[in-house]
Amino acid sequence: MRLFGCDSEQAFFGNTLTDFSPPTQPGGGDSLSLVAEHLARVHRDGSQRFEWRHRRPDGSEFDADVLLTRIDLPEGVIVQSITRDITERKRTETALVENRRRPNLALDAAKAGTWESVLATGEFSASDRALVMHGLPLDTAITHDHAMAVIHPEDRAAGEVALQQAAETGEPLRCEYRVLHADGSLRWLASTAELHQEAAQSRLIGLVQDITAQKLLQLALRQSEQHYRALVESTHDGVVIVNMDGCFLHANQAYQDMLGYSLEELRHMVFQ
């Protein structure tokens, strides 16, 4: 009775569930109609469990988990109700949702996806953005094995080693790997994760980002450097690279032949 704000049996008995309810529930449904639906299900199925917003006589409200059970007695059918106050749980859920909105802004800005892996069970979950990055449909239900299978075969073993080391040492996970999408495109992804201990369960909670653009830029620079080196080494002109102090960093074969010194010897000299 105290839960419903009643200080006596007279104040409590004789009321119905709708008498202790606001006109509408949080989802927008009419309380009177919803009560009738729940009672109909109880009489049909034997029990019904649901969450309900209550209102006390003083106007204050609280959320509860309600279990209605049909009991068949010789005198007739009665409905037993067990009501558990879940106001604090609801407040916590609301706070978590609000707290997640701020990190999500950072995730959006970084174009990052999220993933979690329960180490003992192999249970794996990923955000929509992470699924898209790996070339998977949004409604894909994946396990650890499924997640590893989408990684390029040449990178898979390194990914497994990184996961195992993170699980065994507790050190943060950092790895880069390729995934091949159904359209034939190859994407580079970078994943980081930390180990979290929750009760008796260990789980890795991580972020993943698409770094394909950075990798392509690195490849272009490397190819440009290789092309430049090929030109330098093939020319008959002497080409030398020195730093601001005049120390030799590189000299092509033509320059070494001109001076009669090897590259190793030149590196101990100063260009003047």
Side-chain angles (χ1 to χ4, degrees):
M1 292 185 296
R2 287 193 298 269
L3 180 61
F4 290 88
C6 298
D7 55 7
S8 66
E9 293 184 355
Q10 289 77 14
F12 180 77
F13 290 119
N15 292 296
T16 65
L17 182 57
T18 53
D19 293 323
F20 290 109
S21 305
T24 58
Q25 289 298 301
D30 173 74
S31 293
L32 184 61
S33 300
L34 290 173
V35 167
E37 291 177 13
H38 288 310
L39 288 174
R41 292 194 184 101
V42 171
H43 286 290
R44 184 190 66 209
D45 303 327
S47 65
Q48 177 74 7
R49 188 172 207 143
F50 53 93
E51 291 183 4
W52 193 260
R53 174 71 54 81
H54 292 81
R55 177 177 289 173
R56 300 183 179 95
D58 64 2
S60 63
E61 296 182 349
F62 68 97
D63 293 301
D65 179 87
V66 179
L67 174 62
L68 299 181
T69 304
R70 186 189 70 202
I71 300 178
D72 298 317
L73 298 175
E75 296 81 7
V77 177
I78 64 171
V79 176
Q80 179 193 64
S81 174
I82 298 177
T83 303
R84 182 168 58 93
D85 190 347
I86 58 171
T87 303
E88 287 302 318
R89 193 194 81 189
K90 283 293 187 180
R91 287 175 181 166
T92 301
E93 290 174 353
T94 301
L96 287 173
V97 170
E98 292 299 323
N99 288 337
R100 283 170 183 158
R101 287 176 181 167
R102 288 186 287 273
N104 281 342
L105 293 176
L107 291 175
D108 289 341
K111 294 183 172 58
T114 61
W115 59 271
E116 293 187 19
S117 176
V118 180
L119 301 178
T121 64
E123 178 186 353
F124 198 95
S125 61
S127 67
D128 287 351
R129 180 171 284 158
L131 291 173
V132 171
M133 288 182 187
H134 289 81
L136 297 171
L138 296 183
D139 58 350
T140 303
I142 57 177
T143 63
H144 168 79
D145 292 339
H146 192 177
M148 295 305 299
V150 302
I151 296 178
H152 193 285
E154 295 178 3
D155 301 334
R156 200 171 296 152
E160 288 281 15
V161 170
L163 282 170
Q164 185 176 353
Q165 288 179 343
E168 292 177 353
T169 66
E171 292 295 318
L173 177 148
R174 291 182 177 86
C175 64
E176 296 179 358
Y177 54 91
R178 293 162 292 172
V179 293
L180 185 63
H181 286 200
D183 61 4
S185 62
L186 189 69
R187 311 297 298 179
W188 272 96
L189 304 180
S191 195
T192 60
E194 292 185 353
L195 187 68
H196 291 256
Q197 191 73 32
E198 299 176 1
Q201 265 189 348
S202 296
R203 66 177 64 220
L204 282 168
I205 301 177
L207 297 177
V208 59
Q209 289 180 289
D210 190 321
I211 59 169
T212 305
Q214 295 94 309
K215 284 293 184 179
L216 291 177
L217 179 59
Q218 290 175 4
L219 178 60
L221 291 172
R222 191 178 301 116
Q223 290 175 339
S224 177
E225 180 184 358
Q226 290 171 350
H227 180 64
Y228 171 76
R229 279 188 176 276
L231 289 175
V232 167
E233 296 303 327
S234 63
T235 183
H236 296 294
D237 298 324
V239 179
V240 63
I241 301 175
V242 298
N243 63 18
M244 296 298 293
D245 297 323
C247 298
F248 287 91
L249 299 178
H250 182 72
N252 69 349
Q253 192 61 49
Y255 189 88
Q256 296 174 49
D257 293 341
M258 287 177 186
L259 271 67
Y261 294 106
S262 69
L263 178 59
E264 187 62 31
E265 290 173 318
L266 288 170
R267 284 175 173 165
H268 292 86
M269 300 178 183
V270 176
F271 182 81
Q272 293 181 341

